[in-house]
Amino acid sequence: MCPWQAKVCYNGRMWVRSVSQVTRYIKALIDGDPELSGFWVRGEVSNFQRATSGHCYFTLKDSESELRAVMWRSVAIQQNWLPSQGNLVDAYGSVSVYERGGAYQFYAESLAPVGEGQLWEEYQRLRERLAAEGLFSKPARPMPRWPRRIGVVTSPTGAAWHDIQRVVQARYPLAELVLAPTLVQGSEAPRQIVRAIQRISLEPDIDVLIVARGGGSLEDLWAFNDEGVARALAASRVPVVSGVGHETDYTIADLVADLRAPTPSGAAAMVTPDGAVLREQIRLGLESLHMAARRRLDEFRRGLAHAEQMLRLHHPRRAVAEQMQRVDQNMDRMGRALGHRLALRRAQVANGRARLEALSPSLVLGRGYAVVEQRATGQRLSSVAQARPADALLIHLRDGQIDAEVTDIRSITVA
Amino acid sequence: MNVEDIRSLSFEDSYDRLEEVIRRLEDGELSLEESVALYEEGVQLARHCGDKLDDAELRVTGLLQEAAEEQESAL
């Protein structure tokens, strides 16, 4: 039944309807028209305003008309992209009436920029601007050798978070994952991601930060092309690894990050040492240890053998034997020297004897000389003055003596 | 470093120490006693590292999301 027939007033001349009755009637008409429910409309956005409540108000217009539009917060936060002044958009939604204002409005449930290139162009512009600022050319910081606390900025319900936990559990379960949950899609996501990065930066002992999201279209990944997110990542005190999306597409977040992984799992692997490799290293280390220890022992053993040999070489018995040999050698030398001198002496003696023999009286006597002595005294005469006439003399010749008597003495002058 | 000291080490410290022990043992210039002590320490460290890896359980800490109602549309 039509609502106003029941509740109208009569002022004495005609039926009078209330404002709200009229408005409700129009609303009912519009709401009941399938042509005005669930359709696409294209228009240029103007007066786009986002209220503190999160609801968005704007006007869609073309060259001839304007259509006031609303997008509720619950819808707006699902949007990957929100328009600004002058954007040409395709909006999906329905027309209804705002009763308090008595205005019909378009209630947008989805908004998309007209023309595929628009998001891409916006991305390119931001990318060029941040590149010119040097945000992408900072030297990449090294990953921690032993990550203790790994900060993760992602959705708590997404596959990305699940993958990261699985990979870290498998590779390096000694680490701790610190999740800062956030939306990763929709117009609300950039602001939340920035807050999540800031919350992680307030945590103590975080060694590295992963920002991650499962793959998606360029629109799905839009939150990671946000300038605020880029700046928050660039300001991170710890190295950042991005694991956003896609094998091929680079988001702005990828470009700012110290390392870029193609997937969330890849990011988790980049920040953790591989437990299997570590186990192998430990096994090899143990082997090196055995070998080094054996080598050291062998060295000591060889050293010992060498020392023993040296000891044998320097045994006292051996020294005595050596001394003995030296003594023998010296004896030899002494003997030789002695023999030499003996021969010399012998020659000297022979020589002396020869000279002596030359002086021997018997030899002189043999040559016809005689020795004359006083018979009484035995005094040998070498001068006539030693004899007087009638002295008895004894004359020695080679083969006997002659007794004689001095009969005359004549002296001659000796020259 | 004795067995008790080693048991109190973290995996990372234990692993780094193991590398150092191997390096020192390979460098030589040690007394026989020091060599033997280092070797025994190294064996303990390797065992400790393995135990740590085997026993580790991934810890997960969740920071609070700033506004709970926003989780409705989380991926």
Side-chain angles (χ1 to χ4, degrees):
Chain A
M1 189 162 75
C2 192
W4 63 28
Q5 289 187 346
K7 289 189 182 169
V8 288
C9 308
Y10 187 69
N11 70 353
R13 286 178 288 153
M14 54 174 58
W15 296 104
V16 178
R17 298 156 186 164
S18 69
V19 171
S20 45
Q21 278 175 328
V22 176
T23 306
R24 250 178 253 136
Y25 181 78
I26 295 171
K27 181 175 164 66
L29 273 182
I30 292 176
D31 287 351
D33 187 342
E35 283 298 315
L36 293 175
S37 165
F39 64 98
W40 285 97
V41 57
R42 174 170 297 183
E44 189 187 318
V45 172
S46 67
N47 298 324
F48 186 90
Q49 283 182 324
R50 191 169 196 194
T52 47
S53 61
H55 307 319
C56 301
Y57 303 95
F58 54 101
T59 304
L60 289 172
K61 60 180 185 179
D62 59 19
S63 52
E64 287 154 33
S65 302
E66 297 193 357
L67 175 63
R68 286 173 60 183
V70 178
M71 183 181 256
W72 299 128
R73 180 177 178 282
S74 59
V75 176
I77 63 172
Q78 299 270 22
Q79 273 292 127
N80 303 311
W81 175 84
L82 288 176
S84 49
Q85 180 74 23
N87 288 157
L88 189 63
V89 297
D90 284 343
Y92 181 84
S94 306
V95 171
S96 184
V97 173
Y98 174 48
E99 292 177 42
R100 279 188 80 84
Y104 72 94
Q105 308 185 112
F106 180 78
Y107 291 85
E109 291 162 42
S110 175
L111 267 181
V114 172
E116 279 193 334
Q118 179 140 1
L119 272 179
W120 179 245
E121 276 167 27
E122 227 172 274
Y123 165 81
Q124 285 295 353
R125 272 200 301 278
L126 179 61
R127 180 172 172 167
E128 276 163 28
R129 192 152 53 79
L130 295 182
E133 258 185 60
L135 224 62
F136 306 150
S137 44
K138 291 190 301 181
R141 290 169 286 191
M143 291 300 117
R145 178 163 144 87
W146 306 117
R148 287 159 304 171
R149 304 191 84 204
I150 301 169
V152 182
V153 169
T154 192
S155 160
T157 53
W161 172 231
H162 180 257
D163 289 348
I164 289 168
Q165 289 181 81
R166 186 175 46 76
V167 169
V168 175
Q169 170 68 54
R171 285 173 64 93
Y172 194 66
L174 293 154
E176 178 187 357
L177 289 175
V178 182
L179 172 70
T182 172
L183 291 176
V184 291
Q185 181 171 344
S187 65
E188 194 62 23
R191 197 179 60 82
Q192 280 202 15
I193 292 171
V194 168
R195 294 278 172 78
I197 294 167
Q198 287 164 349
R199 279 206 304 283
I200 289 286
S201 74
L202 294 176
E203 280 291 302
D205 301 329
I206 298 284
D207 297 308
V208 63
L209 172 64
I210 297 175
V211 281
R213 187 206 187 282
S217 67
L218 186 58
E219 283 180 33
D220 288 341
L221 304 179
W222 199 244
F224 295 89
N225 288 324
D226 180 83
E227 180 170 354
V229 170
R231 294 196 184 281
L233 290 177
S236 168
R237 286 177 295 108
V238 297
V240 176
V241 181
S242 69
V244 177
H246 231 250
E247 297 278 346
T248 47
D249 290 340
Y250 275 70
T251 63
I252 301 284
D254 287 327
L255 296 168
V256 179
D258 294 276
L259 259 182
R260 183 241 178 191
T263 59
S265 315
M270 276 181 180
V271 304
T272 47
D274 185 352
V277 171
L278 288 177
R279 278 176 213 278
E280 178 64 8
Q281 299 264 316
I282 293 165
R283 196 185 63 73
L284 290 174
L286 207 52
E287 232 164 66
S288 309
L289 202 66
H290 288 314
M291 271 165 59
R294 177 156 304 160
R295 205 162 44 235
R296 293 294 295 149
L297 282 180
D298 283 350
E299 275 168 26
F300 280 114
R301 222 167 262 144
R302 271 200 304 279
L304 192 61
H306 179 69
E308 279 174 356
Q309 197 185 349
M310 293 311 282
L311 265 178
R312 270 199 302 281
L313 280 175
H314 294 96
H315 193 282
R317 204 165 44 216
R318 204 178 160 90
V320 167
E322 233 166 67
Q323 290 299 326
M324 291 293 287
Q325 192 178 354
R326 289 247 295 276
V327 168
D328 285 352
Q329 279 173 359
N330 284 340
M331 292 289 278
D332 259 18
R333 277 171 61 200
M334 259 165 64
R336 273 199 301 279
L338 225 60
H340 189 65
R341 282 171 64 181
L342 257 149
L344 202 66
R345 282 272 187 270
R346 224 170 261 135
Q348 282 173 347
V349 168
N351 186 28
R353 185 180 292 152
R355 282 167 58 198
L356 216 56
E357 269 169 10
L359 296 173
S360 153
S362 59
L363 211 69
V364 176
L365 295 181
R367 291 209 300 267
Y369 293 96
V371 174
V372 180
E373 58 190 34
Q374 288 286 353
R375 196 144 156 212
T377 60
Q379 185 193 20
R380 259 179 221 181
L381 302 188
S382 56
S383 163
V384 293
Q386 292 170 311
R388 300 194 182 282
D391 279 355
L393 301 175
L394 193 58
I395 299 168
H396 292 270
L397 292 175
R398 179 173 62 94
D399 50 356
Q401 294 89 29
I402 299 170
D403 290 329
E405 194 181 286
V406 180
T407 55
D408 191 16
I409 297 170
R410 288 175 302 276
S411 63
I412 53 171
T413 312
V414 180
Chain B
M1 204 175 273
N2 63 37
V3 179
E4 288 309 307
D5 293 337
I6 289 170
R7 287 223 179 95
S8 68
L9 284 181
S10 69
F11 171 83
E12 304 90 296
D13 291 343
S14 192
Y15 189 91
D16 288 345
R17 172 78 186 155
L18 175 60
E19 286 191 336
E20 187 197 333
V21 161
I22 293 168
R23 197 170 50 242
R24 284 185 58 194
L25 202 58
E26 283 177 338
D27 281 353
E29 306 298 322
L30 294 166
S31 72
L32 180 60
E33 243 172 71
E34 285 171 319
S35 298
V36 170
L38 270 182
Y39 171 76
E40 281 169 357
E41 186 185 334
V43 171
Q44 291 293 336
L45 285 165
R47 181 175 304 156
H48 183 62
C49 282
D51 289 349
K52 277 277 181 188
L53 269 183
D54 291 341
D55 298 345
E57 286 283 344
L58 180 65
R59 279 166 300 152
V60 174
T61 306
L63 302 180
L64 286 179
Q65 198 160 9
E66 53 189 294
E69 79 268 22
E70 283 167 357
Q71 287 188 12
E72 63 184 78
S73 53
L75 244 200

